Amino acid sequence: MRVALMVTCVNDAMFPGTGAAVVRLLRRLGVEVDFPEAQTCCGQPMVNTGYLDEAVPAVRTYVDAFAGYDAIVTPSGSCAGSARHQHGLVARRAGENGSDPGLAEAVAAAPPTYELTEFLVDVLGVTDVGAYFPHAVTYHPTCHSLRMLGVGDRPRRLLEAVRGLRLVELPNADQCCGFGGTFALKNSDTSVAMGSDKVRHVRGTGAEVLVAGDNSCLMHIGGMLTRQRSGVRVMHLAEILAATEDEPAAPAPGAAR
């Protein structure tokens, strides 16, 4: 199986350790994964803001960069959701207005895009990935992974199989953290209020680490945790799953400590 990593813009720019963790994890599980250097943005920021025409070049670059692979894996429910649900919308519009008549066919022929936990559980058929992380952890299910992709309990099953990890229940876990991409910029007061509620619940668990499958949400929540000097650090799920006794996980740059 030829597998490609779609690292995402946020991870490439701010959290490169997450992409590296995905590669270490998959290679440990016997999967050879490539990193196509032609990849750029999946186009989600433009689509979410209503600029479908402006998203056409990003979607075209996506399908061209990952052509020929059997699967695309990304450590982001948000970007996986964009590829699976938004690229078709952009492609149909591009066909209707003539900006890229062949895009719909290219999108239809593109390899499937999987969020990391979907790939591990559904494609590889594993929940115990050989990880070791001796800390109390609470899990935040991000909106796109929960609602758009329906990842369900896959992340929890993976975390429960990590040796040494104690998984603590997060109250009101299914409530949005308030980031929402451009929503946080357009509606900052509401975003901060939602984030404050999430942080209060996180701190109430007594967990040492907050984990999620999207660094964008962790960036939002982690910033508040840091400003409150909570002592709770945030980590992407991939970094915990990649951790072993020989290669312990380290907090991402800018994570709450």
Side-chain angles (χ1 to χ4, degrees):
M1 176 184 288
R2 295 190 66 219
V3 176
L5 168 65
M6 197 273 280
V7 73
T8 82
C9 298
V10 168
N11 290 326
D12 185 48
M14 302 182 68
F15 305 99
T18 296
V22 174
V23 172
R24 289 199 312 274
L25 172 62
L26 292 181
R27 287 181 176 172
R28 193 171 74 219
L29 295 174
V31 178
E32 280 303 317
V33 56
D34 295 334
F35 180 80
E37 294 185 6
Q39 64 181 282
T40 57
C41 178
C42 68
Q44 181 185 180
M46 290 78 87
V47 178
N48 287 354
T49 316
Y51 295 101
L52 272 70
D53 293 340
E54 286 75 7
V56 170
V59 174
R60 167 54 73 179
T61 298
Y62 187 99
V63 296
D64 288 348
F66 294 106
Y69 287 94
D70 298 308
I72 304 165
V73 179
T74 181
S76 168
S78 179
C79 294
S82 176
R84 298 224 298 255
H85 296 280
Q86 294 181 340
H87 283 190
L89 298 175
V90 173
R92 284 195 294 274
R93 183 179 177 93
E96 292 168 358
N97 63 25
S99 60
D100 191 336
L103 186 57
E105 183 178 353
V107 167
T113 299
Y114 296 97
E115 183 267 344
L116 177 62
T117 67
E118 294 178 314
F119 186 77
L120 294 172
V121 176
D122 298 345
V123 179
L124 299 186
V126 298
T127 51
D128 186 345
V129 298
Y132 174 74
F133 191 74
H135 300 282
V137 170
T138 193
Y139 169 68
H140 165 63
T142 64
C143 288
H144 282 94
S145 65
L146 185 68
R147 296 175 175 85
M148 183 177 280
L149 296 181
V151 299
D153 66 348
R154 294 174 183 84
R156 292 183 60 90
R157 288 161 62 190
L158 289 159
L159 288 169
E160 288 167 354
V162 174
R163 289 184 301 115
L165 186 146
R166 181 168 66 88
L167 187 59
V168 185
E169 197 68 31
L170 177 64
N172 297 321
D174 62 347
Q175 293 184 4
C176 178
C177 72
F179 178 66
T182 55
F183 172 84
L185 301 176
K186 293 182 175 181
N187 303 277
S188 57
D189 290 344
T190 304
S191 175
V192 169
M194 296 171 72
S196 297
D197 286 341
K198 181 65 66 173
V199 164
R200 176 167 49 83
H201 292 309
V202 170
R203 297 188 68 174
T205 67
E208 302 167 68
V209 180
L210 170 68
V211 63
D214 278 272
N215 270 326
S216 53
C217 299
L218 289 175
M219 180 172 59
H220 179 61
I221 304 169
M224 292 186 174
L225 288 167
T226 298
R227 287 191 291 275
Q228 293 181 14
R229 299 184 179 182
S230 67
V232 182
R233 51 180 173 146
V234 299
M235 293 181 66
H236 192 283
L237 178 63
E239 295 170 73
I240 290 178
L241 297 180
T244 64
E245 291 184 76
D246 294 331
E247 292 186 274
R257 297 174 184 267

